[in-house]
Amino acid sequence: MSLYDESLRLQEYYPFVTFYYYKEWQDFSMEMHEHDSVEIMYVMCGSCKIELEGETTQLKKGQFIIIDANVPHKLHVQSEKRCRMANVEFAFRPGATNYLTFKRVVEETPSLLQMISHYQPYLLFLDSNDIYACLKSVILELDKKGTSSDFMVQLLLSQLMIRISELANRNDHAPEQSLYNKKAVDFIHQNYDRDIRVKDIADAVHLHPGYLHRVFKETMGCSINDYLVMHRMKKAKELIAQTDIRITDIPYYIGVSSQQYFSTIFRKYTGQTPMEFRKEQQRLHLQSDDFINN
């Protein structure tokens, strides 16, 4: 059952662990596969790559990924590298129980409700220092041979999901959002002059494009595409005003392949055509020279 299945919010289900491990991988490539459980993979040290949804995402130390049920994926660790991981997979059972149902946890946790209200095949995060501790507690409880308490596992698993949802949704976790935004902005500033897309930026900061888009817009007040266009127009204005580069060549200096598109967007952002803007800048420059000479 998907983590985003509406039944989990309306009916009585409770989560249970189907598989878990602590393991170190080296020179390993898993077959593409899928399963009915939701999977959490946490990188304790080293790095690995996860292939899913036609994309390859890199995970480094302190990062973790939540892969929804029935999403095909594949783990790959290069031969020259090692990757130590903690993994928990869980599914949902229906029916009356003395355990804390997932429905009840969602009702009491607005951030969890928000997180599971919008489907994402996977979510990638940078730990905020307490996710690993929660995940480790679940695994240690499961590892108690013959003495593991199912009730305690349910509580710890619920705590883990609550902490993850807070990391995903609270608006005041500025350090994580600032880190992702800074990396995204740096990538744009360094690569605006070539053909780049949101997916390229998301790959550079190791986030799912949809999640990066949401985080960026919440904190920056505009979409990634809007920011990219604004930065390109800023650079175009500088080139038009400060150089003799032909107007028809300007788009290629800022990563825009269409002259018509460039002219349309430039006018939208400045209220002038590129040629009108250059003539105005030349006029202002002459007036400034006249003022200085007089």
Side-chain angles (χ1 to χ4, degrees):
M1 177 181 284
S2 169
L3 183 63
Y4 304 89
D5 194 312
E6 190 176 11
S7 299
L8 295 175
R9 287 167 268 163
L10 302 176
Q11 302 174 24
E12 301 297 329
Y13 284 85
Y14 63 95
F16 67 99
V17 174
T18 58
F19 188 72
Y20 71 96
Y21 64 75
Y22 272 120
K23 190 173 181 67
E24 183 173 287
W25 305 96
Q26 184 180 15
D27 191 18
F28 178 79
S29 186
M30 184 181 292
E31 294 295 326
M32 186 68 73
H33 69 287
E34 60 183 90
H35 38 69
D36 294 334
S37 302
V38 178
E39 183 170 5
I40 301 176
M41 305 172 69
Y42 189 107
V43 176
M44 300 158 58
C45 65
S47 65
C48 66
K49 293 182 179 180
I50 309 293
E51 183 180 334
L52 72 174
E53 294 293 298
E55 303 173 351
T56 299
T57 300
Q58 185 173 26
L59 270 69
K60 298 181 180 180
K61 180 180 178 181
Q63 290 185 306
F64 65 99
I65 191 170
I66 303 178
I67 304 173
D68 195 33
N70 301 310
V71 173
H73 58 281
K74 175 182 180 180
L75 169 66
H76 177 71
V77 182
Q78 296 177 350
S79 58
E80 68 274 13
K81 296 183 178 180
R82 294 177 182 270
C83 182
R84 185 165 178 78
M85 301 181 68
N87 176 290
V88 167
E89 299 173 19
F90 62 94
F92 298 92
R93 287 182 178 141
T97 174
N98 291 326
Y99 300 148
L100 189 63
T101 64
F102 193 71
K103 174 176 177 289
R104 177 66 185 279
V105 176
V106 171
E107 289 173 345
E108 297 295 330
T109 314
S111 61
L112 183 55
L113 174 60
Q114 183 177 344
M115 187 180 82
I116 66 174
S117 294
H118 306 284
Y119 175 76
Q120 296 283 2
Y122 70 93
L123 295 169
L124 178 63
F125 299 100
L126 178 65
D127 194 1
S128 62
N129 298 324
D130 61 350
I131 302 300
Y132 175 66
C134 292
L135 182 62
K136 183 179 179 181
S137 296
V138 174
I139 293 176
L140 289 177
E141 183 63 34
L142 289 164
D143 233 11
K144 291 180 179 179
K145 304 300 182 182
T147 62
S148 174
S149 165
D150 289 342
F151 180 67
M152 183 59 72
V153 171
Q154 304 303 316
L155 291 178
L156 292 172
L157 195 55
S158 296
Q159 179 190 33
L160 175 62
M161 292 306 298
I162 290 171
R163 290 290 178 258
I164 290 174
S165 71
E166 290 173 346
L167 177 60
N169 292 287
R170 70 177 185 263
N171 291 326
D172 61 347
H173 68 289
E176 291 82 15
Q177 290 189 344
S178 295
L179 175 63
Y180 293 136
N181 288 338
K182 182 179 184 305
K183 287 183 176 180
V185 168
D186 287 347
F187 184 85
I188 290 172
H189 287 186
Q190 294 167 12
N191 297 276
Y192 71 90
D193 58 344
R194 64 185 185 88
D195 183 22
I196 57 173
R197 306 181 188 280
V198 173
K199 180 185 178 302
D200 301 318
I201 302 169
D203 286 346
V205 303
H206 311 303
L207 280 184
H208 184 272
Y211 181 69
L212 175 62
H213 174 78
R214 178 159 61 86
V215 168
F216 194 94
K217 192 165 187 177
E218 283 178 358
T219 54
M220 300 293 286
C222 65
S223 70
I224 295 174
N225 275 326
D226 286 344
Y227 185 89
L228 174 59
V229 171
M230 286 189 292
H231 187 70
R232 281 172 166 164
M233 292 306 102
K234 174 185 175 183
K235 292 299 180 180
K237 288 167 63 177
E238 292 175 359
L239 291 171
I240 293 172
Q242 300 171 15
T243 75
D244 295 326
I245 297 173
R246 294 186 303 176
I247 295 295
T248 53
D249 291 337
I250 294 292
Y252 304 105
Y253 281 80
I254 60 169
V256 176
S257 58
S258 168
Q259 175 69 44
Q260 183 177 358
Y261 173 76
F262 167 67
S263 297
T264 300
I265 295 299
F266 189 89
R267 186 164 192 168
K268 175 183 176 182
Y269 277 81
T270 67
Q272 298 174 302
T273 66
M275 184 58 71
E276 289 171 344
F277 182 81
R278 171 164 280 177
K279 288 180 178 179
E280 180 185 42
Q281 294 301 308
Q282 291 172 341
R283 180 177 58 80
L284 292 174
H285 182 70
L286 289 174
Q287 288 179 347
S288 175
D289 286 346
D290 289 343
F291 178 79
I292 293 173
N293 293 330
N294 292 333

